[in-house]
Amino acid sequence: MAEFIWFLLVVLTLAVASYKRTTLVNAVAAAAAVMVLGTLFGDIGLLGWIVFLIFAVPLTIADIRQPYISSKLLAFYRKVMPEMSTTEQEAIDAGTVWWDGDIFSGKPDWDKLHGIPKGRLTPEEQAFLDGPVDRVCHMVDEWQINHKDADLSQEIWDFLKEHRFFAMIIKKKYGGLEFSAYAQSRVLQKLAGSSAVLSSTVGVPNSLGPGELLQHYGTEQQQDYYLPRLANGEEIPCFALTGPEAGSDAGAIPDVGVVCKGEWEGEEVLGMRLTFDKRYITLAPIATVVGLAFKLQDPEGLLGDNKELGITCALIPRDTKGLDIGRRHFPLNTPFQNGPIRGNDIFVPLDFIIGGKAMAGKGWRMLMECLSVGRCITLPSTAAGGAKTVALATGAYARIRRQFRMPVGHMEGVEEMLARIGGNAYLMDSVTSFSTVGVDLGEKPSVISAISKYHLTEKMRQVINDSMDIHGGKGIMLGPNNYLGRGYQGAPISITVEGANILTRNMMIFGQGAMRCHPYVLKEIEAANLDDKQARLKAFDKAVFGHIGFAVANTVRSIWFSLTNGTFHNTPFTDETARYYKLLQGYSANLALLTDVSMGVLGGDLKRRERLSARLGDILSGLYMGSTTLKRYDDEGRLKEDLPLMHWAMQNTLHDIETAIDDFLENFPNRAIAAVMRVLVMPFGRRVDKPSDKLEHKIAMMLQTPSSARSRLGDGQYLTREEGNLFGDLEQTLDDVIAAQPVFDKICEHKNAKLPFTRLDALAEDALKEGVINEEEADLLRRTEAGRLRTINVDDFDHEELIANQAVKKPSRKKTGKAA
């Protein structure tokens, strides 16, 4: 019995050492110290020491461990692990690991999280938002843009060029604005709240495009020529990557360039003959310079021995002979400039390659590095901006619109949707704020950008769907006074572009996350592929035993989390948020454990089991979004008024994490191991419930009642109360309705009747005559009635107004699936 107790103490010592993540040598030394104590007490004899040394010596002495243990593990590893393609390797190498590494570690460093600076605007950036951005939002006429012109007005185009909206990323020495990623995000959020066409038009040149690529990789001559012209609007850029045969799988593009000699401007030069077929290219119909991605081939060996150079990026002027450009797509009734680009056997000089001849074949890495940045900014920011504006608009409408003699926002079914809208808007802005700060700190967060793109565009789809349900007929009747319909129509666009969301969730988030964020997986892969056998074994030994220690530590952490429910986890705060930090820390350990077990059991097959990897990606995503929510709450001063929004975002996110864990375990193919994992990570079932009705009621009331918390939720959006701004008019009408309520109640009390909240202007006249109210109160009721009717009424048209202009030649039905 005594020996068994000492055995338990040894195991406990190793468990504590693993929990603390001490080195293998220190852990064994601590266990040996316990063995010595047991020997001194006379309870551990020779047999105990023999058993201990059998395990301890091979693990701690590298000269024994490497040839007898690590070599066998290496052979097995090389057999089961799938070969990584060049494009996969370059995609992984292109990004950097930031906070996503912490949340994958099983032990997030909360002090590190809260030490990351809050996003802030410079005076110049704030002035741009308050000046040119507000003015261009004021210039927007959504009905004119979408229904009549199918384009921004020439006035808006000129304004965008004049004020360098397309040059937010371009350095000042070239005439650009050189704004931070955080500032770019704020600009796009405000634009998105006013017009999807406007935000798309501005967003694309400032994300993945020639400007970004030129600044990072262009030759000095290319930079000096193009960047000033891009900055002042003389050049309009687009980037052609996607084609009929390669959408999300951009690495499979069939477009080719063949190195050869040819004539250019009367001289024979070394160049390329390009053949390509691209579609879905934003700004293509009006672009003056095309960034083009293609696979470069050198069959004659004019550049060296390599005949297949790989993906290459070049700049093609619009007037290049043979370039077929100018036609338009029509993406779901959202007429931002978008269209196909084609070319057949077009010859251009080799120095059209971005970065010149030296960058031939290096385009994939260029694209991955830039896309990891751009994907963090453009689509997440437009989604968050749209959600913020929709949240305030829907809250105002729900308070103004009445049915059954009560605001529809007071109905519990509507409250549920309002809470989802408000909570998601809070979380979405948290994600964009934090992610763009990472970019400004020099990160290229490929995993975070995938998380942000997927989840925020999906959440925007839910926000707009909920808002449409609340608005009912008001939302579906298009016209000058409909502020939702076009956003609802266009929501699937952001779901589709920059990598379809199905691919992003099922392949990218965890696929890249497991490689980039796991502290040992990439090291193991790199070690296993070394050419030198001795160096390979040594590097693999270090990586694999580091991995084993990591896995043991997270197993112990998961068990401790299961037994204690995270009660003893350290947290940076002891207030209402403490529980959330503890749960996130526990789920981080769970994620690391589930990942290691999955890789060990399924090996390379995990890559093909997309639904399993997607659920692991959902856990990783939830950890990231929950972290950003806690970070935002702290950055904004831990204000009690914001607690309902923070609580909803955290509880909904944690519930989603648990759903992902539960679904993963339920569908893991090895049922015995699944049962063991469930005991380790979720032995007592769920820990977190969905947000309660009481909490959701608080958020619904917040959206319907002006307050500082409501204003913070919509911070930065275009809500100016001026003629033509439907959102500003909603805000004013909300204020008027709330201010008019006591006056209305006074009249009802005087008449001893429960009157309908309608025809307030007529009611005002009667009450004024009877001396119940004064002239100021009567004016308030008249103004409120006018605003109320503007809010609830919808547009109607003469039949002829809805018929397309018959004077314009009908467009041909030319398909873009094949080259013309």
Side-chain angles (χ1 to χ4, degrees), residues 188-196 199 382 385-386 389 483 717-718 727:
L188 291 174
Q189 282 197 17
K190 182 175 280 193
L191 297 179
S194 296
S195 168
S199 61
T382 55
T389 296
Y483 45 82
Q717 296 311 105
Y718 181 64
F727 297 110

Side-chain angles (χ1 to χ4, degrees), residues 198-345:
L198 181 60
S199 61
S200 299
T201 300
V202 172
V204 168
N206 288 291
S207 57
L208 176 62
E212 180 81 358
L213 294 170
L214 279 168
Q215 288 198 131
H216 284 86
Y217 311 104
T219 64
E220 185 176 350
Q221 183 180 6
Q222 289 171 339
Q223 291 173 343
D224 290 342
Y225 177 78
Y226 277 113
L227 290 176
R229 295 162 69 88
L230 289 169
N232 64 24
E234 187 176 349
E235 300 277 9
I236 299 294
C238 71
F239 194 85
L241 175 61
T242 305
E245 305 298 336
S248 296
D249 184 13
I253 56 176
D255 312 287
V256 297
V258 179
V259 178
C260 61
K261 292 182 179 179
E263 186 175 318
W264 184 261
E265 296 181 349
E267 297 182 8
E268 185 180 70
V269 299
L270 189 60
M272 308 168 287
R273 291 205 172 274
L274 305 171
T275 297
F276 52 91
D277 182 7
K278 304 290 189 179
R279 64 181 181 184
Y280 310 151
I281 311 306
T282 299
L283 295 185
I286 59 162
T288 62
V289 59
V290 177
L292 181 70
F294 56 92
K295 287 183 176 176
L296 187 61
Q297 302 171 354
D298 185 16
E300 299 179 34
L302 297 175
L303 298 181
D305 296 332
N306 191 355
K307 303 265 175 98
E308 299 289 337
L309 294 169
I311 295 176
T312 302
C313 299
L315 294 176
I316 313 298
R318 185 186 184 92
D319 58 5
T320 300
K321 184 178 179 181
L323 185 64
D324 180 5
I325 186 172
R327 293 181 64 80
R328 294 183 64 178
H329 300 310
F330 193 26
L332 285 178
N333 230 7
T334 308
F336 57 93
Q337 293 284 345
N338 187 282
I341 300 176
R342 306 180 185 89
N344 184 31
D345 202 31

Side-chain angles (χ1 to χ4, degrees), residues 173-188:
K173 70 176 182 177
Y174 298 112
L177 296 174
E178 200 173 346
F179 281 174
S180 64
Y182 178 77
Q184 294 173 48
S185 175
R186 299 294 112 176
V187 170
L188 291 174

Side-chain angles (χ1 to χ4, degrees), residues 19-42:
Y19 186 91
K20 296 292 186 180
R21 294 194 173 168
T22 60
T23 64
L24 178 60
V25 171
N26 288 339
V28 171
V34 176
M35 292 288 294
V36 170
L37 284 175
T39 303
L40 293 176
F41 279 96

Side-chain angles (χ1 to χ4, degrees), residues 318-583:
R318 185 186 184 92
D319 58 5
T320 300
K321 184 178 179 181
L323 185 64
D324 180 5
I325 186 172
R327 293 181 64 80
R328 294 183 64 178
H329 300 310
F330 193 26
L332 285 178
N333 230 7
T334 308
F336 57 93
Q337 293 284 345
N338 187 282
I341 300 176
R342 306 180 185 89
N344 184 31
D345 202 31
I346 295 175
F347 181 79
V348 296
L350 208 63
D351 60 12
F352 276 25
I353 295 174
I354 297 175
K357 184 170 64 175
M359 296 303 291
K362 298 180 180 178
W364 184 243
R365 185 182 181 93
M366 293 162 59
L367 293 173
M368 289 300 97
E369 288 183 344
C370 290
L371 189 58
S372 69
V373 172
R375 194 188 274 124
C376 242
I377 303 172
T378 305
L379 289 176
S381 299
T382 55
K388 288 163 64 175
T389 296
V390 166
L392 267 60
T394 308
Y397 179 83
R399 179 64 180 82
I400 297 165
R401 175 65 165 157
R402 292 191 174 219
Q403 293 282 271
F404 309 109
R405 296 199 175 189
M406 64 186 294
V408 297
H410 291 180
M411 299 175 181
E412 288 197 355
V414 174
E415 284 187 350
E416 179 182 5
M417 292 184 175
L418 284 172
R420 276 204 302 262
I421 293 171
N424 277 321
Y426 183 86
L427 181 145
M428 293 165 74
D429 201 15
S430 305
V431 172
T432 56
S433 297
F434 186 71
S435 302
T436 52
V437 165
V439 173
D440 287 329
L441 292 174
E443 301 293 339
K444 292 178 178 152
S446 56
V447 177
I448 286 173
S449 68
I451 291 172
S452 301
K453 189 272 177 180
Y454 168 70
H455 286 280
L456 268 60
T457 55
E458 289 291 345
K459 287 182 180 296
M460 181 55 196
R461 175 152 61 179
Q462 184 178 55
V463 164
I464 197 72
N465 282 344
D466 284 340
S467 182
M468 287 290 287
D469 279 357
I470 293 171
H471 280 78
K474 174 72 174 181
I476 64 174
M477 295 302 169
L478 290 176
N481 292 300
N482 185 316
Y483 45 82
L484 282 183
R486 300 293 180 178
Y488 175 76
Q489 287 181 319
I493 298 173
S494 60
I495 302 293
T496 302
V497 299
E498 288 191 13
N501 274 5
I502 293 175
L503 174 140
T504 304
R505 175 175 181 257
N506 287 273
M507 298 177 69
M508 290 181 63
I509 293 175
F510 180 75
Q512 288 190 355
M515 296 294 182
R516 291 295 310 165
C517 302
H518 196 291
Y520 296 104
V521 168
L522 196 56
K523 293 177 182 177
E524 288 169 339
I525 293 173
E526 291 169 346
N529 287 299
L530 291 175
D531 293 328
D532 183 272
K533 288 186 178 181
Q534 192 60 36
R536 181 196 309 159
L537 180 59
K538 185 176 180 180
F540 184 79
D541 172 78
K542 181 178 180 181
V544 77
F545 275 90
H547 192 157
I548 291 170
F550 178 76
V552 171
N554 286 309
T555 301
V556 173
R557 285 177 168 272
S558 290
I559 293 171
W560 184 242
F561 178 50
S562 297
L563 294 175
T564 67
N565 208 18
T567 302
F568 301 106
H569 286 167
N570 292 327
T571 63
F573 303 99
T574 57
D575 59 7
E576 300 91 340
T577 64
R579 178 71 180 139
Y580 300 140
Y581 287 101
K582 293 176 180 180
L583 289 170

